Amino acid sequence: MTNTQTVQSLFRPFTLGKLSLSNRTVMAPMTRQKSPNGVPGPDVAAYYRRRAENGVGLIITEGTVIDHADSSNQENVPFFYGEDALNGWATVLSEVHEAGGKIVPQIWHMGARGNVNEYSQDEILGIVQEFAKAAAEAKRLGFDGIELHGAHGYLIDQFFWEKTNQRSDRYGGSLLARTNFAAEVVKACREAVGPDFPIILRISQWKGSDYSAKLVETSEELKQFLEPLVDAGVDIFHCSTRRFWEPEFEGSKLNFAGWVKHLTGKPTITVGSVGLDGDVSTFFTKGSGAGNASLDGLIPKLENQEFDLVAIGRALLADPAWVKKIRDGNLDELIPFTPQALQTLY
């Protein structure tokens, strides 16, 4: 069973350039739909502050959409543009920093309503610039970096995946060509924020519409996929999986985050049912909750430096003090995840 001694590696500091974290825990981005008209209010600020007060090393906000007609298809998802929404995020930022935390917004475009073939090259360039504008606003407000959502079948990932990208221009065709849109987004954001502002890119094999989907089948293909993204300016890769303990490729014990770090030398964030006894698919397919689980399978991987940071999703959603309780060994006080946790902001 996990105890305070075995989790020490989870509470070592992490530093990358100007980003200094007190420990290796990350709050995973989780859509809450609690921002009417796209504006995060005081309840959203209090929600994030509670995690900062309880020791989360880095908070990645829920997805915040850019200023584009297709960027959101859900109500009450926060914007990252416009005076009211940005003022709301300034309050969130102030509360988190006052509590001693670090926070980055996840910059998001949910995807083409049809498919990416419908976008002209001029429209693509416009979308790229909207990502860059959001990045610039994040730096202006004083955030500690940004995360670009390039996973789970949303827009950037629609360009990555051959099943949703049938373009025949420079944005489609080969695996390398399908990375061009993401690389242009990263480059534009890098130009907007300068060399020292951290850019995280979230990637996944699986899609919201297909848990068995694969962008790449081999480590060689993964290397080819990652190289242009590194060259574009990604600082940290957030490697989304349903189960962090599963090896990514046959014949290796490394998970997705482990392989990405091995191939790029860049820091990686692992994620996927950390602290829970059921993966995220059971919630979406069955609406079921999950019990608390030991971290014994996670800690050796972290100690072996297979990855650098650990993102916690539903466990931290259910229990704002999850990190503090793990640190202090108060495992009997952990609150299990239930679907009802999604209905509240606490």
Side-chain angles (χ1 to χ4, degrees), residues 3-4 7 11 322-331:
N3 57 49
T4 54
V7 298
F11 293 94
W322 187 91
V323 171
K324 184 176 186 296
K325 290 174 183 178
I326 292 292
R327 184 193 66 200
D328 297 343
N330 297 326
L331 307 182

Side-chain angles (χ1 to χ4, degrees), residues 6-70:
T6 60
V7 298
Q8 285 181 352
S9 59
L10 197 59
F11 293 94
R12 297 197 317 268
F14 172 82
T15 300
L16 179 68
K18 293 184 177 181
L19 179 65
S20 295
L21 308 179
S22 61
N23 61 58
R24 304 304 178 103
T25 65
V26 177
M27 181 177 182
M30 291 172 284
T31 297
R32 303 312 314 279
Q33 293 183 266
K34 302 292 185 180
S35 298
N37 300 312
V39 178
D43 55 343
V44 175
Y47 161 78
Y48 287 114
R49 179 179 180 126
R50 275 187 285 275
R51 275 73 185 172
E53 288 173 334
N54 282 284
V56 174
L58 176 65
I59 292 170
I60 303 176
T61 74
E62 62 208 284
T64 69
V65 297
I66 62 170
D67 188 6
H68 182 256
D70 288 350

Side-chain angles (χ1 to χ4, degrees), residues 244-263 301 304-307:
F244 75 84
W245 57 87
E246 291 187 341
E248 188 58 38
F249 300 116
E250 188 175 347
S252 167
K253 294 182 179 180
L254 292 177
N255 71 1
F256 191 32
W259 267 107
V260 172
K261 181 176 181 179
H262 173 70
L263 292 170
K301 290 179 173 293
N304 290 338
Q305 301 181 41
E306 293 179 22
F307 39 76

Side-chain angles (χ1 to χ4, degrees), residues 19-22 25-29 40 44-52 56-62 64 80 88-107 138-139 141-147 197-198 200:
L19 179 65
S20 295
L21 308 179
S22 61
T25 65
V26 177
M27 181 177 182
V44 175
Y47 161 78
Y48 287 114
R49 179 179 180 126
R50 275 187 285 275
R51 275 73 185 172
V56 174
L58 176 65
I59 292 170
I60 303 176
T61 74
E62 62 208 284
T64 69
F80 210 79
W89 283 116
T91 300
V92 172
L93 176 65
S94 176
E95 292 288 334
V96 168
H97 279 177
E98 188 177 285
K102 301 292 178 68
I103 183 169
V104 302
Q106 187 188 68
I107 310 301
K139 183 176 183 181
L141 291 172
F143 278 90
D144 299 293
I146 60 166
E147 173 168 288
F197 194 72
I200 305 168

Side-chain angles (χ1 to χ4, degrees), residues 128-191:
V128 168
Q129 288 308 307
E130 291 302 332
F131 273 104
K133 287 179 185 177
E137 294 287 11
K139 183 176 183 181
R140 178 184 67 82
L141 291 172
F143 278 90
D144 299 293
I146 60 166
E147 173 168 288
L148 299 169
H149 198 340
H152 305 167
Y154 296 116
L155 183 65
I156 292 174
D157 199 23
Q158 287 179 338
F159 276 88
F160 286 153
W161 197 27
E162 61 183 348
K163 288 189 178 181
T164 48
N165 183 352
Q166 301 294 318
R167 297 180 70 99
S168 58
D169 59 5
R170 63 193 179 93
Y171 294 108
S174 69
L175 175 62
L176 194 61
R178 297 196 304 273
T179 68
N180 281 336
F181 174 69
E184 289 182 10
V185 169
V186 174
K187 286 177 184 177
C189 289
R190 176 59 69 207
E191 290 175 3

